[in-house]
């Protein structure tokens, strides 16, 4: 099974380039949009790292992540460096 150049470039594009992703994100609060934008440019980040990068309070980041998870726009896994922490990335 071969993939075309267009399909490969779509696979490496940011999820924010996907029109469906953008439409869903458009309906969310500004904090969720900012967290998604920070995750677009970075490797998976913990909640604390997201707070540092976005300059948002921890509580606001937690709310934004919950909203993004409800819409299946972000996913999480346990950190390889510290299994007590979750890291988040765009889905």
């Amino acid at each position: 099974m071969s993939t075309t150049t267009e399909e490969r470039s779509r696979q490496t594009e940011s999820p924010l380039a996907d029109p469906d992703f953008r439409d869903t994100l458009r309906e969310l609060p500004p904090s969720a949009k900012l967290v998604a934008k920070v995750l677009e440019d970075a490797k998976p980040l913990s909640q604390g790292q997201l707070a540092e990068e976005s300059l948002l309070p921890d509580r606001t980041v937690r709310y934004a992540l919950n909203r993004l998870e409800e819409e299946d726009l972000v996913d999480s896994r346990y950190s390889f460096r510290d299994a007590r922490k979750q890291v988040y990335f765009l889905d």
Side-chain angles (χ1 to χ4, degrees), residues 28-47:
L28 295 178
S31 60
K33 293 172 187 162
L34 178 56
V35 167
K37 187 65 177 167
V38 169
L39 286 173
E40 174 190 35
D41 297 332
K43 59 186 183 234
L45 297 172
S46 70
Q47 182 179 324

